């Protein structure tokens, strides 16, 4: 299903999601330099026109049609973002958080350790 990276930076996670078959894959990023870098990386990888990087504020995008959400953001953003995700995502959606977990959510699974740790959350389970 549709995969989005909130704060997609240089685009590497969006490109990897596309390579793994998660389509459509797109990133939302406000930094114009990082958007340029992400688009260059997509072009260099042969994915120009297959993935999208949009200059949009993550707080203003509607996530109701997303099945997979990637979040690699600071801990201070997690509590308000948790509310947005719970309000907008469908029950079948999955959220993957890198480096910092959502403090009030119980993960469905985790992988890695330390700075390389990620937490996966199934929205339907989080809502219970």
């Amino acid at each position: 299903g549709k995969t989005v990276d909130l704060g997609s930076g240089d685009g590497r996670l969006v490109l990897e999601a596309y390579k793994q078959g998660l389509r459509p894959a797109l990133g939302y990023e406000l930094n114009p330099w990082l958007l340029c870098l992400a688009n260059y990386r997509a072009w260099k990888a042969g994915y120009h026109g297959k993935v999208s990087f949009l200059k949009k504020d993550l707080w203003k995008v509607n996530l109701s049609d997303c099945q997979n959400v990637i979040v690699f953001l600071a801990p201070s953003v997690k509590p308000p973002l948790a509310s947005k995700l719970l309000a907008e995502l469908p029950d079948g959606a999955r959220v993957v958080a890198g480096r910092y977990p959502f403090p009030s959510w119980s993960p469905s699974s985790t992988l890695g350790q330390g700075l390389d740790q990620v937490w996966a959350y199934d929205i339907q389970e989080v809502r219970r």
Side-chain angles (χ1 to χ4, degrees):
K2 183 177 180 182
T3 300
V4 298
D5 184 2
L6 302 177
S8 56
D10 66 5
R12 71 181 74 187
L13 296 177
V14 172
L15 294 175
E16 187 59 35
Y18 184 85
K19 286 179 195 175
Q20 298 297 321
L22 298 171
R23 296 177 184 154
L26 66 139
Y28 294 119
E29 177 60 56
L30 287 176
N31 183 316
W33 298 107
L34 290 174
L35 280 170
C36 286
L37 179 57
N39 281 303
Y40 170 75
R41 291 173 64 111
W43 172 81
K44 189 174 177 186
Y47 297 142
H48 178 72
K50 297 177 181 178
V51 297
S52 300
F53 297 99
L54 306 172
K55 184 177 181 181
K56 290 196 176 183
D57 185 335
L58 69 89
W59 301 108
K60 296 177 182 174
V61 297
N62 183 334
L63 302 171
S64 63
D65 63 343
C66 297
Q67 293 301 312
N68 305 289
V69 177
I70 303 166
V71 180
F72 210 96
L73 300 168
S76 61
V77 176
K78 296 291 174 71
L81 183 57
S83 297
K84 176 179 175 58
L85 295 172
L86 287 171
E88 294 181 17
L89 291 176
D91 275 345
R94 177 167 261 212
V95 176
V96 176
R99 195 155 294 165
Y100 305 107
F102 281 89
S104 61
W105 291 5
S106 295
S108 303
S109 60
T110 63
L111 182 66
Q113 296 179 353
L115 296 178
D116 293 327
Q117 188 167 4
V118 296
W119 295 261
Y121 305 92
D122 293 320
I123 288 298
Q124 192 168 9
E125 292 298 318
V126 171
R127 287 187 175 123
R128 290 184 189 162

